[in-house]
Each structure stands twice: as structure tokens, then as C-alpha cells.
Amino acid sequence: MNKYTHDIIIIGAGSGGLNVAAFCARIKLKVLLVDKSATHIGGDCLNTGCVPSKALIHVANQVHASRLSNKFKSSSDSSPVDIQKVTEYIKSKQDHIRQNENPEYLKEKGIEYISGSAMFVDAHTIEVDGKRYSAKKFVLATGSRARALSVPNDKSIKEYTNENIFEIDFLPNEFVFIGGGPINCELGQAFARLGSKVTILTTSERILEKETKEVSAVMESVFKDEGIEIVTGITIQEIKNGSVCYSTIGGETSSKKADAIFVGIGRVLNIENLQLEKAGIQVNQTKSKLIVDEYLRTTNKNIYVVGDVAGNYQFTHVAEMHAKVVIANMLSPLKQKFDSKYIAWVTYTSPEIATWGVGHEAATARGFETISADFVHDDRAIVDESVTGRVDIYVDAKGTVYGGTMVAQNAGELSQELILAMSAGLGLKDIFNKVYPYPVASRINKQISSAWMGRKLTTNTAQVLRFLFKSNS
Ligand SMILES: Cc1cc2nc3c(=O)[nH]c(=O)nc-3n(C[C@H](O)[C@H](O)[C@H](O)COP(=O)(O)OP(=O)(O)OC[C@H]3O[C@@H](n4cnc5c(N)ncnc54)[C@H](O)[C@@H]3O)c2cc1C
């Protein structure tokens, strides 16, 4: 008789949990997937993260493009955006994707799903709504949530996080985004394009601190051109009488009137209320992180972690990468490490920012060269009015690509072949030799490889080539 009710129990049905569950069910393991409620299936990505934010950005970009197109018309349309139609659009796209992320669908795929908050009873048992379930292995995939702003707050301004922004029922006139990270930059620009007057207040010295200074500078300039105000180096003091009050580095105080604020000041891991200690799972001293090894195991070697709760790169595709590692480690005695060498991410502002592989500092420390290009002389960028941007690629002496960053229209797509070059160990020579039909936007990659190859044409080689030409009959 089986010792446990299930082979594997996965807590959290977001991107990470769903991926592990789907594979384990395919190989006919007895899988139990637990999430707080059926409406949480798909986790942050479907419900409060990637999907609704990209749908919102899509609408905002259409509104923006339509506004820009007025210059080709004899009369312009300046009617305001109907926010209800925007949120209905977002919901319709979520509902579409939800067709493959709901209890019935999971059941069809052989995954047993239950709703409720899980907590550990011992190293092999959890309790959900008073019922106990046991398994040989567990996967913690409980994700993260928005960090709260802990300052005095008289609640005189409507407050949003990623949890409720996609159901907003009015278009704020003055919208203050607290925090200057990727979520706030994406959503702040989207609301500015929909018609709000957006201000970004951030404690950092620049927006998008995880990107290079050059990338931040490009985005600051674009945001300013679009009427977004950016105030850096501030500390929020309180929310009072319809204003966000803050102090500057110099100690001066100032305030900004707002009818809505969006708080995006980092993420907190969902690790409370799980009674982790009963399963022998240890956390760090501040109780803010799980202790996780490079094989994605907790201090209880039968309990793995995937996704945001692992506490490093918080992206859907990283949750998927974690799932692959955890599946391999549960099945094989040859343990696989999570390798962040080929990590990549995209910030879906306009222009987009794509970043991959080693960062600028690490590249410099390893003696890699930075090859840069801009879009000013790129024919496609010129006709598409998208010359704003730049690309920096970190290469070794042979031109092998180790990382880079691109800020450009559709950088997420344009960078894909550079990311492939990196993970396949290819170099700029391979890119140079590839055919780029004129005028595909990715010819920027050809431009950068041509510049690198062109440097081989020194005065001496030019002299040799001239000699060959003249001596050739
Ligand atoms: C606004 C926004 C935009 C984003 N855009 C992108 C993007 O464009 N690209 C990208 O790659 N990433 C993006 N992300 C990040 C991405 O959403 C997350 O990295 C991803 O969803 C993490 O997946 P996960 O499985 O780790 O956790 P989650 O998706 O958060 O899932 C965790 C699940 O666990 C459940 N849970 C928690 N505690 C318990 C418990 N005790 N018992 C039972 N269930 C529990 C929760 O209900 C939840 O459903 C974005 C995030 C935000 C907020």
C-alpha cells in the first residue's frame, strides 16, 4: 500500500507550479496542486501580472499611435479613453487564456486540484481546510506579492498595486507611481499614453536601476518627451490631504497632488502561514527568504522551490526554468544546478528594453569588449520613426557573445538572435554571415557585427587588398 496520498504535492498554481504539475501528470505521477482559490490558477502572470499588464500596454500603445496619426489627418480626434472598455479588453484576454488554466482543464490533464491555503503539518504532510494530504516530494511555488508602503496614510488618495490596478474604474488625472522599477515604468507609461498626467517618484538615483545608466538615460528622455515627470532620490513621508508628501536628498520637503497612487516598491515572498518549521524548512535571519541551495532544494531535501518564492530573478520564464531543474532533480540522481548564466528579460516599455547574459560590470571585469550601435542611420528605424535607442553587446576577442542590452522598438524580438548566439556559443562572425532581407529591423544586429568585422580592415590589410587587386589580371 502507498505510504502517501500523492506522489507529489505542489503548493501554488502559478507559472512555476503549473509547469511542474503538467510534466508530473504527463508521466502519470499522482499529482496534487493546491492554490488559494480557483481564480488564482495561473498565479500573478495570468491574473495580476504579465497578461493584464501586456494587454493594458497594447491598448495604451494603440491609443498613442492613434494620437500620433492625427498629423496625417485634416481633423483630429481627441476624445478621452473609456477606461471601462480598457479593463473589459484586459479581462477578455485573461478569460481567453484562462481556458487552459482552470480546474476542469487541469483535471483533464490528470492533475488533481484543490482550493485553499496549504500549511505543513510535518515533513510529508500538509493541511488544507482541515483535510490532510501527504506526499514523497513537495514543490513550493507560492510566488510573491507587492511590498506595502509603510508610511502614515490618511487614505485620501485611491491606492493601487498590481493586485487591483487592472480593475481600475476611472482614469486618474494626476497619477503618482511610487517606485521606478520595470513594473512602474511599464504601467506608468501606459497610463500616460491613456491620458493620465503621470509622475514617477523613486528613492533611487535613476529609474530602471537594474539596467545600465545609458539605458536608463534613454528611457528618462523618452518619458520626459511623453510628459511623464520623474523625481529621483526621494523618500516618501506620508500620504495626506490628497497629496504624496516626500523629502529630497537635500532634506527639503515637497508634495505632489494625486487622485491615484500606484505602489511598486519591490516584492515580498509568500512564505508566511505555511508552518514551514514543521517541515524542517529554514528561512534566513530576517524571515524574508527561504534558504535554498543551487539545486533549488530547501533545507528539507524533499521540498523544492520554483518561481518568485525562490527569491532571485522574478519572471515567468525563470519560474519555467526552475520547473525544468526541479523536475530533473526529482527524477534523476544526477542533480542539476540552476544556472543563471543565460538569463534574459524584457521590460515592455516603449521602446522596449532587452537584457541578457553577463551584465556590464561583470563583462568589464572579465575583460570583454562592449560593441555599441545606435539606430540613427538604420533605414528601417528611420522610416518607422523609431531611431531612439541603442544596443551594447559584450564580446570576447573572438567576437563570442556573452551578454548585452538593447533599448529599441521591439527590442524583445530583435535581441532574440543575439540571445541565441549567446546560449549557442556563437559570435558576431556568425551574425555577419547571416542573410538579413532588407529592411528587416534586426539588420541592426548585422550593423553591429559589420562594425566589428570592419575593424579587421586595418591600413595594412587595405594595402594588401589593393596590391591583390592590382596584380589580379
Ligand atoms: C505587473 C506585473 C507584470 C509582470 N510582467 C512580467 C512579464 O512581462 N514577463 C515576465 O516574465 N514576468 C512578469 N512578471 C513577473 C511574473 O508575473 C512572476 O514572476 C510569475 O508570475 C511568478 O510565478 P510563480 O509561479 O512563482 O508565482 P505566482 O504566479 O505568484 O503564483 C503563486 C501562486 O501561489 C498561490 N499561493 C500562495 N500561497 C499559498 C498557500 N499558502 N497555499 C496555497 N496557494 C498559495 C497564490 O494564490 C498564487 O496563485 C510581472 C509581474 C507583475 C506584478
Side-chain angles (χ1 to χ4, degrees), residues 11-17 34-36 40 42-45 48-50 53-54 116-118 141-144 162 166 183 186-187 267 270 274 306-309 314-317 319 348:
I11 307 173
S15 313
V34 191
D35 204 298
K36 284 184 174 167
H40 277 259
D44 252 5
C45 185
T48 52
C50 332
S53 64
K54 268 72 250 179
S117 284
T142 51
S144 66
N162 68 298
F166 304 110
I183 292 175
E186 286 185 2
L187 299 182
R267 311 283 301 169
N270 294 327
L274 284 157
V306 296
D308 283 10
V309 76
Q314 295 180 320
F315 299 104
T316 290
H317 50 279
Y348 295 88

Side-chain angles (χ1 to χ4, degrees), residues 193-346:
R193 288 183 164 198
L194 292 177
S196 295
K197 170 79 189 74
V198 167
T199 303
I200 295 176
L201 299 178
T202 176
T203 47
S204 319
E205 63 175 30
R206 57 189 173 93
I207 58 168
L208 298 165
E209 247 194 336
K210 291 200 174 126
E211 306 296 341
T212 62
K213 283 188 177 146
E214 289 79 10
V215 166
S216 292
V218 169
M219 290 316 303
E220 278 191 21
S221 153
V222 169
F223 280 6
K224 282 178 184 160
D225 285 350
E226 291 192 19
I228 298 172
E229 190 183 344
I230 300 168
V231 190
T232 57
I234 58 93
T235 307
I236 305 288
Q237 298 296 344
E238 62 179 330
I239 313 289
K240 198 176 162 191
N241 298 333
S243 288
V244 182
C245 310
Y246 58 91
S247 57
T248 61
I249 291 176
E252 292 147 32
T253 54
S254 193
S255 67
K256 188 86 205 164
K257 277 240 164 281
D259 44 9
I261 54 171
F262 180 91
V263 180
I265 52 171
R267 311 283 301 169
V268 179
L269 309 185
N270 294 327
I271 55 174
E272 312 89 348
N273 309 322
L274 284 157
Q275 299 194 158
L276 297 171
E277 64 292 347
K278 297 209 169 164
I281 302 171
Q282 289 169 17
V283 292
N284 67 353
Q285 273 192 340
T286 55
K287 296 187 177 163
S288 57
K289 272 187 150 197
L290 299 167
I291 296 175
V292 179
D293 69 13
E294 51 205 341
Y295 305 103
L296 298 175
R297 297 177 304 190
T298 64
T299 44
N300 175 337
K301 300 298 173 218
N302 286 313
I303 304 183
Y304 293 82
V305 283
V306 296
D308 283 10
V309 76
N312 46 31
Y313 302 93
Q314 295 180 320
F315 299 104
T316 290
H317 50 279
V318 174
E320 291 166 358
M321 288 166 75
H322 285 167
K324 254 171 103 177
V325 171
V326 163
I327 290 165
N329 288 343
M330 285 193 299
L331 301 180
S332 161
L334 299 172
K335 299 292 174 222
Q336 234 184 65
K337 290 182 184 174
F338 171 68
D339 186 356
S340 61
K341 193 161 77 183
Y342 298 136
I343 218 90
W345 63 82
V346 175

Side-chain angles (χ1 to χ4, degrees), residues 164 294 414 440 448:
N164 57 353
E294 51 205 341
L414 300 187
V440 290
I448 208 161

Side-chain angles (χ1 to χ4, degrees), residues 11-12 33-38 113-119 127-129:
I11 307 173
L33 180 63
V34 191
D35 204 298
K36 284 184 174 167
S37 87
Y113 165 78
I114 54 164
S115 269
S117 284
M119 60 178 98
E127 192 172 291
V128 182
D129 284 339

